[in-house]
Amino acid sequence: MATPRNHVPLAEQVEELLAVGGPLPIVAAGDPVLRRVTERFDGQLDPALLARFVEALRVTMHEAPGVGVAAPQVGVPLRIAVIEDPAPVPDEVRVARGRVPQPFRVLVNPSYEPVGSDRVAFFEGCLSVPGWQAVVARPAEVRLTGEDEHGHPVDEVFTGWPARIVQHETDHLDGMLYLDRAELRSLSSNQTMAERWTQPTPEEAAQALGFELP
Ligand code: ZN
């Protein structure tokens, strides 16, 4: 009888995952691993294996392409995510969304809390929900605490698009998908997005589809 997957030690599971090489397969919505609260990282992977895992997450994020990948999205229930956003967008989009470049970062055991009460709403998508985007209102500014990949403490305020990315990825580590927080009436296919909702803000979409903005 096969051992249930969740009884395989995490290090063994990660070794197996990395054995193939190249980008890792991304788990899609409906898989319970995306709905579990992940385990805090506490040395379950030795430093060499952690470094290989982080590199595989980076390659997977670039290949997708995406601006973040959380460990559960490759089937690993650990509190680790990577983010990076070169932000290749026109100036008016950059200004409206605060989409400034975010260098590569590893988030280990991250948590966030809102700074102030400002909320901002924009379309976002998720590699685990391919083909769709929806508007999510989120705190404009958050304080992120946790560690980096070397175990050094992190305590930093994020604003603009990077604040959205760290919230989205940290939510994954709590078993949450962006759809849990989305205005469902805004749900749009990638094709409809490209045809209709390329404006810097979702105001026109809110009027046409009938959802509220903060
Ligand atoms: Zn996601």
Side-chain angles (χ1 to χ4, degrees):
M1 194 174 127
T3 312
R5 250 198 108 65
N6 54 3
H7 291 170
V8 177
L10 276 168
E12 220 172 284
Q13 193 187 325
V14 170
E15 284 282 9
E16 199 178 303
L17 194 60
L18 299 183
V20 183
L24 305 172
I26 293 176
V27 168
D31 190 310
V33 74
L34 292 171
R35 292 315 201 166
R36 284 166 62 187
V37 175
T38 51
E39 258 181 57
R40 271 185 72 78
F41 179 72
D42 188 22
Q44 294 95 330
L45 314 180
D46 66 38
L49 184 54
L50 175 64
R52 285 171 58 214
F53 181 52
V54 162
E55 175 59 15
L57 289 175
R58 195 179 68 85
V59 167
T60 305
M61 171 174 66
H62 287 172
E63 167 80 10
V67 296
V69 170
Q73 291 184 279
V74 297
V76 176
L78 268 180
R79 205 162 179 83
I80 297 175
V82 298
I83 62 172
E84 182 177 11
D85 184 12
V89 292
D91 273 0
E92 60 165 358
V93 170
R94 181 174 53 74
V95 169
R97 302 181 193 170
R99 189 155 172 193
V100 292
Q102 168 62 56
F104 178 74
R105 291 279 296 259
V106 184
L107 313 180
V108 176
N109 298 327
S111 303
Y112 68 85
E113 57 187 46
V115 175
S117 55
D118 275 9
R119 292 171 74 78
V120 283
F122 292 105
F123 276 100
E124 65 183 70
C126 179
L127 297 175
S128 293
V129 189
W132 299 92
Q133 298 182 49
V135 170
V136 187
R138 294 186 181 275
E141 193 166 295
V142 294
R143 177 183 175 192
L144 186 84
T145 53
E147 296 148 40
D148 67 13
E149 67 273 41
H150 308 294
H152 300 137
V154 169
D155 183 344
E156 206 174 312
V157 171
F158 284 79
T159 58
W161 208 256
R164 181 166 295 267
I165 298 171
V166 301
Q167 291 175 72
H168 180 115
E169 299 310 327
T170 303
D171 285 351
H172 271 302
L173 305 178
D174 290 322
M176 187 172 283
L177 295 175
Y178 82 100
L179 289 172
D180 301 341
R181 300 188 187 278
E183 289 289 347
L184 286 183
R185 291 186 65 106
S186 71
L187 187 66
S188 300
S189 71
N190 282 349
Q191 190 183 332
T192 309
M193 287 296 300
E195 287 167 2
R196 292 178 179 273
W197 309 132
T198 54
Q199 305 83 9
T201 73
E203 273 164 41
E204 273 185 57
Q207 278 179 13
L209 301 176
F211 62 90
E212 300 285 325
L213 292 174

